[in-house]
Amino acid sequence: MTTISTNSKNLFSKIQKYLKNKRVCFTTSQGNEGYALTIFDLSDSQTTSLIQKMTKHFHLTPRQQEPMALAA
């Protein structure tokens, strides 16, 4: 599971449309901290490839990923 967060409603809408066109399973949420899209049902390599393609497509600067929480 991977979550993409943004404060821009415009970018949120563009990413949402991009993921729909790629037929990727995702959910959306909105809150005080902005907008989020959570991608699921992809392997690690598929997720990495998608993020790299999306970063190039939208001319974004990659940001350091937050470490995953350890399972209890």
Side-chain angles (χ1 to χ4, degrees), residues 7-61:
N7 291 327
S8 168
K9 184 174 183 177
N10 186 34
L11 182 58
F12 173 78
S13 296
K14 287 180 180 181
I15 293 172
Q16 189 174 11
K17 184 177 177 182
Y18 181 84
L19 293 176
K20 282 182 182 178
N21 288 337
K22 296 291 184 183
R23 300 180 191 261
V24 174
C25 296
F26 67 96
T27 60
T28 61
S29 61
Q30 298 178 24
N32 293 337
E33 296 181 20
Y35 306 91
L37 298 111
T38 302
I39 301 168
F40 52 94
D41 288 344
L42 293 179
S43 68
D44 288 341
S45 62
Q46 290 172 321
T47 301
T48 300
S49 176
L50 177 68
I51 297 299
Q52 288 174 344
K53 289 176 184 175
M54 198 166 44
T55 301
K56 286 182 182 180
H57 180 80
F58 291 111
H59 307 286
L60 302 173
T61 303

